[in-house]
Amino acid sequence: MPHSKKPKSDGRFRMFAPILAGATLRERLIACVGALIGIGLTGLISSYLLGQGPHLPLIVAPMGASAVLLFAVPTSPLAQPWSIVGGNTISALVGIITASLIHDPIIASGVGVSLAIAAMSLTRCLHPPGGAAALTAVLGGPVVASWGLLFPFVPVGLNSCILVILGLLFHKLARRNYPHVAAIANVNTHQTADLPASLRVGFREEDLDAALAAFDETFDIDRGDLSRLLQQVELQATIRAHGDIRCADIMSRDVISIDASADPAEARELLLKHNVRTLPVTDENGRLSGTVGLRELSKAADRIGDLLSKAAIASDSDPAFSLLPVLTDGHAHAVIIVDSERQILGLISQTDLLSAAARALPGSQIGV
């Protein structure tokens, strides 16, 4: 029996094989460049501010570990600015105090790291390199001891602040999200007490809490990010299950639209006549410019072009169920299907997608 060959790509860039969820070669290369710049400039700036010499370390070793978190996993709660600055500085301070009270280096090492974890936990700045900062303060020898209580702030605190500032600039230039801001929870756009429509099915927040309690472990991911990730998993599973249904299969092709130079009264008349909630607006070349509905038309203007809202768009080859997040967010009532030139090909309303979903249900008799 012939043996199947292993794909050639399996062995490529093995050293950059993802070891974390979402890790890619590009992300790892960005992390390498970031660490090179961050550590290099931190040392350079510190030497400029403090001078060089055996009396003071140029840059403390825990900064290397901080750079790994800052540039390789910037979304981690352990890599945020307060975690880096507070974790390293507070831990170094704990280490200095421990070393002054306990003179046995082995006992002091264990106690220092243990108390550093406790201090970081209480001050909400847990940062793994903080353990190394505490250990450095305990075992640093005469150089560290000579600086006493100043050591946690110079160079540890100074190094940490410089590294974070460089990280902020680097991630901004690399267009990465840092500091990582937890996603804003979905809200009911109708300003009622009900949950948003997208959150009324599937798992709920209490289910997530129960699952975390059942594992009884700590995970290096923000709880809000975990919730968003699971919601995206549900969506991708739905798209995969119904991937054979494309936007072209369910879209309306006889689309009622209006020119941007038209009078708002004409747009209002079209909305009411055709019983639609979203009216695509085109420019002089027939390309989609935006949309209007009764909400936009409630404002005063001389032409439709002054009242536009941004249009939700998709391609005719996109999976139809990929429009679920857009059409259930409480804002968009329709998605405009356009080509590469933004010429209108069709329109998918909430009703169109709901009908497709109903027909996809097992044993559906709709339309029969």
Side-chain angles (χ1 to χ4, degrees), residues 36-320:
L36 171 65
I37 296 173
I39 292 297
L41 287 181
T42 297
L44 183 64
I45 295 171
S46 296
S47 67
Y48 175 78
L49 295 175
L50 304 173
Q52 301 184 37
H55 63 288
L56 185 67
L58 180 67
I59 182 171
V60 291
M63 292 305 110
S66 294
V68 173
L69 288 169
L70 175 60
F71 296 106
V73 282
T75 60
S76 169
L78 308 178
Q80 301 314 298
W82 171 237
S83 295
I84 296 175
V85 176
N88 284 327
T89 305
I90 291 172
S91 296
L93 182 60
V94 168
I96 286 290
I97 295 173
T98 301
S100 67
L101 298 175
I102 303 175
H103 300 294
D104 185 313
I106 297 178
I107 297 177
S109 297
V111 172
V113 173
S114 175
L115 291 178
I117 293 175
M120 288 187 290
S121 298
L122 290 173
T123 53
R124 301 179 66 84
C125 59
L126 192 65
H127 186 59
L135 204 57
T136 300
V138 171
L139 304 177
V143 173
V144 173
S146 66
W147 281 85
L149 292 177
L150 185 60
F151 177 76
F153 305 100
V154 179
V156 176
L158 178 64
N159 286 169
S160 300
C161 289
I162 294 173
L163 186 65
V164 165
I165 292 172
L166 293 171
L168 289 168
L169 294 174
F170 178 83
H171 287 307
K172 185 177 180 66
L173 293 174
R175 296 182 179 179
R176 300 170 97 193
N177 178 24
Y178 186 83
H180 182 64
V181 179
I184 300 175
N186 290 338
V187 296
N188 190 325
T189 56
H190 302 296
Q191 299 182 18
T192 64
D194 291 317
L195 286 172
S198 60
L199 299 182
R200 295 176 202 167
V201 295
F203 74 91
R204 295 187 178 183
E205 294 302 306
E206 54 264 34
D207 299 326
L208 179 58
D209 291 334
L212 290 172
F215 275 110
D216 195 25
E217 295 181 48
T218 300
F219 297 93
D220 184 12
I221 182 172
D222 180 84
R223 184 185 176 284
D225 289 339
L226 181 58
S227 178
R228 286 196 307 134
L229 176 62
L230 293 176
Q231 289 171 8
Q232 188 61 213
V233 169
E234 288 186 332
L235 172 63
Q236 293 302 323
T238 301
I239 294 173
R240 175 179 53 79
H242 305 291
D244 56 327
I245 304 176
R246 300 289 166 175
C247 289
D249 300 326
I250 67 170
M251 69 184 186
S252 301
R253 298 174 185 272
D254 184 15
V255 180
I256 307 301
S257 62
I258 192 169
D259 189 86
S261 60
D263 186 271
E266 183 181 348
R268 188 178 297 106
E269 182 180 344
L270 285 173
L271 286 169
L272 296 174
K273 176 182 178 180
H274 295 280
N275 193 26
V276 294
R277 303 184 69 178
T278 301
L279 192 64
V281 180
T282 58
D283 61 17
E284 63 275 9
N285 297 312
R287 292 189 293 264
L288 179 67
S289 296
T291 60
V292 293
L294 292 178
R295 177 184 296 275
E296 288 80 10
L297 293 173
S298 65
K299 304 173 185 177
D302 295 327
R303 55 191 297 274
I304 291 295
D306 299 327
L307 300 172
L308 296 182
S309 288
K310 184 178 180 180
I313 62 172
S315 165
D316 61 347
S317 60
D318 289 341

Side-chain angles (χ1 to χ4, degrees), residues 6-29:
K6 195 174 183 179
K8 294 182 179 179
S9 59
D10 284 0
R12 295 179 183 176
F13 309 113
R14 187 176 298 278
M15 65 183 296
F16 286 101
I19 55 176
L20 294 172
T24 62
L25 173 61
R26 178 180 178 276
E27 287 294 301
R28 287 294 166 260
L29 291 176

Side-chain angles (χ1 to χ4, degrees), residues 292-345:
V292 293
L294 292 178
R295 177 184 296 275
E296 288 80 10
L297 293 173
S298 65
K299 304 173 185 177
D302 295 327
R303 55 191 297 274
I304 291 295
D306 299 327
L307 300 172
L308 296 182
S309 288
K310 184 178 180 180
I313 62 172
S315 165
D316 61 347
S317 60
D318 289 341
F321 282 81
S322 67
L323 306 185
L324 275 170
V326 179
L327 291 177
T328 58
D329 66 0
H331 295 283
H333 300 294
V335 174
I336 315 302
I337 310 303
V338 297
D339 61 16
S340 58
E341 301 296 326
R342 290 183 69 88
Q343 296 288 334
I344 298 175
L345 301 177

